[in-house]
């Protein structure tokens, strides 16, 4: 039987249109789901919208339409966006669906019959924007600690959930399941929050009309979070299709932003315990995309609209950027320069060039013939071994929910194949008919290499993957095996995958700040070759990188220059996240006089081009070893 894998995203509020944060979670979930499908799992991927509550009611009121009309409008934008991004969800659930309400009522009834729901009166400071009461611990100024908005003192009769009863069972559960809440930082936060004591939770409101009425008491509407969290059950048949529910529940992973981890890691498991239902395997809270160090959010009005970004760079490059540029779990400052770099380096240069080189070779040389090809030699064996190593890291990383690391492994293989193409000099072989058997071996290896690259990139770049696979017409047995004797039915060549972005398209999105234009110097002040030879330029491998505290632009890098590891400082922090540089091969001037920048010593300088004021670090095609002289 296939392994079952059930993944969810949060269901998003419909008070406003989706922004890059929503795209992020959904793309990550989609990539993980695609990876698991490729591994042969029986995948169920649930996403949807959270349509009830005061926030939606208020937004609709402002627009002079009903909440349901607003929901329908915004939901259609979600549908369009997910289609464009090729999000392959199994089901899209809306909390206004009838089947959802049935499941919510069942859950409410079961918990009430158990004695864990009782009626009382609630008074507290309520943040309408975040739909939650603020605890005394969190605020002294009565402002919401998350969005900074003012809170209102509310007092209302309501039903309470006996959350306090679950403090000890929750703590025991966390201890017995250290991987229940991930990453570890979130586990620790949640653990100490629960350790600090849990008060009963009001789970209905009399002040709100837009929601599911509480069973047996229509004066009360079920609190939006009780309603919303239940979607993970109702989305797989709870209350309406018991067979489906038995098959799917519990979820393997609930993925969400760290803003809502408490709802998922405290309230939700407590509700499930109260209803005697099994708990999900993992609650994974990813970090935030920040703008100017603050969370990108609708309440703060600093969101990035994914549409123009996708128009400028294409849909797939945005997917790739989101998956690759930040480790799942960490925060990251959004910068368009980083999107552009990912596009130009990883997609246009590494993947796009490799694909064009191989496609061009195949179409010029014609079909390689297996029977004519020389046997696999040391270069092919090395490449094959490299593939298996990268594949292992790729699979382990995706299984550990680290798409960025998985993609880095895929790119390691892309670099290796690029190196293989260069080293085997196919264009020279092509000129000599006697070398045809050798050339056929090289071509077959290139085709096989490209084929496995198409598999590697599928979770991030489904369309590019399809296009590559289509041109190769490979047989699909043992897809994950690197097979030197695989047969291909090559199709005609294809258009470039990721053409380099032209300058004028690049700057469309960004606020263009006045920058002194860098001009290309005229051919004067010529230097002699001896002058040039004074420079000790070397290939250097970045071993570690970190920001220089208190500066916006400076990174401190430790680089291996072959003879030693030394420290250099570079003004590239606005464009490069430190961790993305580790492992990169760059060019360093090793015999530059040391300098001290903001108190940090720099012994050398890296080479970079400046494009519209943004540094683009010079790197290599292939993989030269550290210390190699650049001349
Ligand atoms: O909270 N960076 O819906 P919501 C990364 N309806 N991810 C972000 C982000 C950012 N700056 N901003 C938003 C709700 N997100 C509830 C959920 S679930 C039972 C109910 C993503 O529309 C992230 O996944 O406010 C975050 O958790 C979610 O959008 C919040 O979406």
């Amino acid at each position: 039987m296939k392994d079952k894998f059930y993944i969810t995203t949060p269901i998003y509020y419909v008070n406003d249109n989706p922004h890059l944060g929503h795209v992020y979670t959904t793309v990550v979930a989609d990539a993980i789901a695609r990876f698991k499908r490729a591994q042969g799992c029986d995948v169920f991927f649930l996403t949807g919208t959270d349509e009830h509550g005061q926030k939606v009611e208020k937004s609709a009121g402002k627009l002079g339409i009903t909440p349901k009309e607003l929901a329908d409008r915004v939901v259609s934008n979600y549908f369009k966006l997910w289609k464009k991004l090729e999000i392959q969800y199994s089901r899209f659930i809306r909390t206004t669906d009838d089947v959802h309400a049935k499941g919510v009522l069942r859950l409410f009834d079961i918990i009430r019959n158990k004695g864990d729901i009782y009626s009382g009166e609630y008074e507290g400071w309520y943040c309408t924007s975040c739909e939650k009461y603020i605890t005394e611990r969190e605020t002294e100024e009565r402002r919401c600690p998350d969005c900074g908005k003012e809170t209102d003192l509310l007092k209302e009769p309501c039903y309470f959930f006996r959350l306090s009863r679950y403090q000890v069972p929750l703590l025991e559960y966390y201890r017995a399941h250290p991987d229940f809440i991930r990453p570890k930082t979130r586990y620790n936060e949640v653990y100490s929050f629960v350790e600090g004591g849990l008060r009963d939770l009001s789970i209905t409101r009399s002040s709100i009309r837009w929601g599911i009425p509480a069973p047996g008491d229509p004066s009360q509407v079920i609190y939006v979070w009780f309603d919303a969290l239940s979607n993970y059950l109702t989305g797989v048949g709870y209350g309406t299709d018991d067979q489906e529910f038995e098959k799917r529940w519990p979820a393997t992973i609930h993925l969400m932003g760290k803003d809502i981890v408490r709802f998922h890691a405290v309230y939700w498991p407590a509700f499930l315990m109260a209803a005697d239902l099994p708990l999900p395997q993992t609650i994974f809270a990813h970090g935030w995309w920040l703008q100017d160090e603050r969370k990108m959010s609708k309440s703060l009005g600093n969101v990035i609209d994914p549409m123009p970004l996708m128009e400028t760079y294409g849909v797939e490059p945005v997917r790739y950027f989101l998956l690759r540029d930040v480790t799942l779990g960490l925060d990251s400052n959004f910068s368009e320069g980083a999107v552009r770099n990912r596009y130009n380096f990883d997609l246009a240069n590494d993947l796009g060039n490799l694909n064009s080189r191989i496609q061009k070779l195949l179409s010029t040389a014609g079909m390689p013939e297996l029977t004519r090809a020389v046997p696999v030699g040391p270069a092919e064996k090395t490449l094959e071994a490299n593939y298996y190593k990268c594949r292992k890291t790729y699979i382990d990383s995706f299984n550990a929910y680290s798409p960025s690391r998985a993609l880095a492994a895929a790119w390691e293989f892309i670099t290796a194949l690029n190196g293989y193409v260069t080293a085997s000099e196919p264009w020279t072989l092509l000129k000599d008919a006697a070398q045809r058997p050798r050339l056929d071996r090289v071509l077959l290896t290139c085709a096989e290499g490209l084929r496995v690259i198409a598999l590697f990139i599928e979770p991030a770049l489904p369309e590019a993957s399809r296009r590559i696979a289509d041109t190769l017409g490979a047989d699909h047995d043992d897809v994950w095996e690197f097979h030197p004797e695989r047969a291909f039915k090559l199709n005609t060549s294809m258009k470039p995958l990721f053409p380099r972005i032209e300058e004028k398209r690049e700057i469309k999105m960004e606020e263009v700040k006045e920058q002194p234009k860098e001009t290309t110097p005229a051919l004067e002040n010529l230097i002699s070759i001896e002058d040039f030879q004074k420079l000790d330029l070397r290939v250097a491998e970045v071993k570690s990188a970190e920001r220089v505290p208190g500066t916006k632009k400076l990174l401190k890098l430790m680089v291996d220059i072959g003879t030693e590891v030394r420290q250099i400082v570079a003004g590239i922090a606005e464009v490069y996240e430190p961790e993305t540089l580790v492992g990169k091969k760059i060019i360093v001037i090793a015999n530059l006089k040391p300098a001290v920048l903001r108190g940090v010593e720099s012994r050398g300088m890296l080479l970079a081009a400046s494009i519209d004021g943004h540094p683009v670090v010079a790197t290599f095609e292939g993989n030269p070893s550290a210390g190699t002289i650049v001349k």
Side-chain angles (χ1 to χ4, degrees):
M1 221 179 61
K2 283 182 167 185
D3 276 348
K4 180 192 80 79
F5 186 81
Y6 172 22
I7 183 167
T8 67
T9 71
I11 48 171
Y12 306 113
Y13 287 129
V14 289
N15 59 323
D16 212 338
N17 281 325
H19 63 70
L20 199 69
H22 304 114
V23 170
Y24 180 55
T25 318
T26 314
V27 163
V28 171
D30 184 59
I32 294 171
R34 283 172 182 272
F35 164 77
K36 288 286 179 181
R37 273 187 218 110
Q39 294 289 300
C41 295
D42 175 12
V43 172
F44 195 88
F45 170 16
L46 182 71
T47 188
T49 40
D50 188 354
E51 306 191 359
H52 290 134
Q54 205 163 356
K55 202 149 130 159
V56 178
E57 207 172 14
K58 271 194 178 170
S59 296
K62 276 192 206 144
L63 293 168
I65 55 177
T66 65
K68 183 65 169 56
E69 280 165 344
L70 175 63
D72 289 346
R73 198 182 282 180
V74 175
V75 162
S76 75
N77 292 335
Y78 270 100
F79 284 152
K80 275 188 230 146
L81 185 61
W82 295 161
K83 187 156 184 234
K84 217 174 156 67
L85 280 153
E86 289 204 48
I87 305 297
Q88 284 184 338
Y89 51 80
S90 315
R91 176 160 182 188
F92 188 104
I93 186 151
R94 302 179 56 176
T95 51
T96 49
D97 290 343
D98 287 344
V99 288
H100 173 73
K102 284 201 180 106
V104 172
L105 295 179
R106 181 200 275 194
L107 187 69
F108 194 98
D109 267 339
I110 288 179
I111 301 179
R112 185 163 53 184
N113 292 341
K114 177 111 180 269
D116 280 342
I117 289 179
Y118 64 93
S119 67
E121 189 171 69
Y122 190 80
E123 183 176 41
W125 296 93
Y126 190 75
C127 173
T128 314
S129 183
C130 299
E131 302 272 18
K132 65 176 186 185
Y133 280 100
I134 307 305
T135 63
E136 299 291 333
R137 280 185 274 178
E138 285 175 325
T139 177
E140 302 219 321
E141 300 158 27
R142 310 281 172 237
R143 282 190 180 275
C144 173
D146 286 342
C147 69
K149 293 204 170 161
E150 272 188 32
T151 53
D152 305 316
L153 185 63
L154 294 189
K155 187 174 181 177
E156 51 181 333
C158 68
Y159 288 96
F160 280 91
F161 170 70
R162 235 181 266 284
L163 184 63
S164 54
R165 179 181 274 179
Y166 290 91
Q167 182 192 12
V168 173
L170 281 171
L171 290 174
E172 276 169 4
Y173 191 86
Y174 300 152
R175 280 197 300 272
H177 301 85
D179 272 343
F180 178 57
I181 305 164
R182 294 172 62 186
K184 201 71 199 162
T185 41
R186 302 281 97 81
Y187 176 100
N188 294 338
E189 262 170 36
V190 169
Y191 194 94
S192 35
F193 172 78
V194 176
E195 228 178 6
L198 292 176
R199 289 196 295 178
D200 289 350
L201 181 74
S202 75
I203 52 161
T204 63
R205 297 276 183 278
S206 58
S207 52
I208 305 171
R209 297 271 42 91
W210 176 233
I212 302 171
D217 186 351
S219 72
Q220 295 282 336
V221 155
I222 294 178
Y223 171 46
V224 65
W225 274 99
F226 188 93
D227 170 355
L229 288 161
S230 309
N231 93 87
Y232 301 133
L233 298 175
T234 61
V236 289
Y238 183 77
T240 48
D241 183 346
D242 292 344
Q243 216 181 338
E244 171 76 357
F245 182 68
E246 286 304 313
K247 180 173 160 203
R248 299 285 174 199
W249 189 256
T252 320
I253 169 173
H254 291 317
L255 181 68
M256 81 231 51
K258 64 181 183 181
D259 45 334
I260 53 177
V261 66
R262 193 179 296 170
F263 297 98
H264 285 80
V266 182
Y267 304 168
W268 182 230
F271 295 159
L272 292 169
M273 283 175 176
D276 291 321
L277 286 168
L279 304 198
Q281 195 180 316
T282 298
I283 308 289
F284 199 112
H286 64 65
W288 286 337
W289 285 98
L290 311 172
Q291 275 276 62
D292 304 325
E293 310 292 335
R294 300 185 78 188
K295 183 189 172 215
M296 193 186 288
S297 84
K298 286 179 279 206
S299 334
L300 292 173
N302 62 349
V303 298
I304 296 279
D305 180 351
M307 284 299 187
L309 201 62
M310 295 191 314
E311 270 161 34
T312 307
Y313 296 96
V315 172
E316 299 228 317
V318 171
R319 284 182 63 110
Y320 175 77
F321 164 77
L322 293 173
L323 288 162
R324 175 74 196 268
D325 217 60
V326 55
T327 303
L328 198 68
L330 302 182
D331 290 349
S332 183
N333 256 304
F334 178 81
S335 108
E336 201 194 338
V339 182
R340 194 161 47 222
N341 281 344
R342 285 288 170 200
Y343 186 100
N344 279 336
F345 290 131
D346 301 7
L347 299 180
N349 262 7
D350 298 345
L351 176 61
N353 277 351
L354 175 66
N355 182 57
S356 325
R357 281 172 98 187
I358 296 179
Q359 299 285 355
K360 191 153 173 233
L361 258 178
L362 290 170
S363 67
T364 312
M367 191 72 173
E369 281 178 32
L370 250 178
T371 47
R372 191 172 54 192
V374 300
V376 168
E380 286 80 22
K381 288 211 177 105
T382 307
L383 185 73
E384 182 176 333
N386 196 314
Y387 164 70
Y388 283 109
K389 187 182 101 219
C390 295
R391 189 185 73 151
K392 179 165 189 322
T393 312
Y394 175 89
I395 292 178
D396 291 350
S397 306
F398 251 126
N399 280 332
Y401 304 126
S402 179
S404 59
R405 197 145 40 92
L407 289 172
W411 254 254
E412 198 182 318
F413 182 69
I414 289 173
T415 307
L417 185 57
N418 248 324
Y420 170 82
V421 178
T422 310
S424 6
E425 301 189 350
W427 294 103
T428 315
L429 299 178
L430 194 63
K431 287 187 202 134
D432 179 359
Q435 296 284 3
R436 185 69 210 201
R438 172 81 205 128
L439 179 64
D440 278 355
R441 170 52 59 209
V442 173
L443 295 179
L444 284 166
T445 309
C446 288
E448 179 65 352
L450 258 193
R451 188 190 67 81
V452 293
I453 287 170
L455 296 177
F456 271 152
I457 64 174
E458 198 275 341
L461 303 159
E463 193 200 335
S465 164
R466 269 196 309 274
R467 285 178 59 196
I468 295 177
D470 287 351
T471 57
L472 295 172
D475 71 50
H476 275 267
D477 293 342
D478 313 324
V479 283
W480 286 99
E481 297 308 308
F482 196 90
H483 209 327
E485 306 299 312
R486 193 181 299 276
F488 290 94
K489 287 187 221 71
L490 303 174
N491 299 325
T492 47
S493 61
M494 65 196 264
K495 287 208 214 96
L497 272 183
F498 297 104
R500 275 191 86 84
I501 297 230
E502 305 142 29
E503 300 275 305
K504 58 180 174 338
R505 277 169 69 206
E506 283 181 45
I507 52 172
K508 202 170 109 191
M509 288 280 303
E510 247 171 3
E511 190 191 5
V512 184
K513 299 191 191 81
E514 276 305 310
Q515 305 262 6
K517 244 308 182 239
E518 274 110 57
T519 49
T520 310
L523 283 179
E524 51 194 21
N525 297 333
L526 300 180
I527 62 163
S528 68
I529 185 77
E530 289 76 25
D531 287 336
F532 176 75
Q533 278 165 349
K534 285 184 196 155
L535 299 176
D536 181 359
L537 293 173
R538 299 198 200 175
V539 177
E541 180 175 352
V542 181
K543 291 294 185 193
S544 66
E546 60 187 80
R547 287 173 195 282
V548 174
T551 71
K552 266 187 144 180
K553 287 200 172 156
L554 298 184
L555 286 186
K556 183 175 93 180
L557 309 178
M558 296 305 290
V559 296
D560 179 355
I561 58 165
T563 44
E564 63 182 291
V565 174
R566 57 157 86 158
Q567 174 172 311
I568 63 170
V569 176
I572 56 174
E574 284 181 317
V575 174
Y576 290 87
E577 287 301 323
E579 61 273 13
T580 63
L581 289 165
V582 176
K584 274 213 159 61
K585 299 283 173 64
I586 60 172
I587 305 175
V588 162
I589 306 180
N591 59 342
L592 195 69
K593 279 189 193 149
V596 176
L597 297 159
R598 296 290 203 100
V600 184
E601 189 185 35
S602 181
R603 296 179 53 227
M605 186 173 94
L606 61 72
L607 297 194
S610 177
I611 299 176
D612 295 325
H614 293 291
V616 175
V617 175
T619 54
F620 290 92
E621 193 169 273
N623 195 12
S625 44
T628 310
I629 300 299
V630 179
K631 54 185 182 182

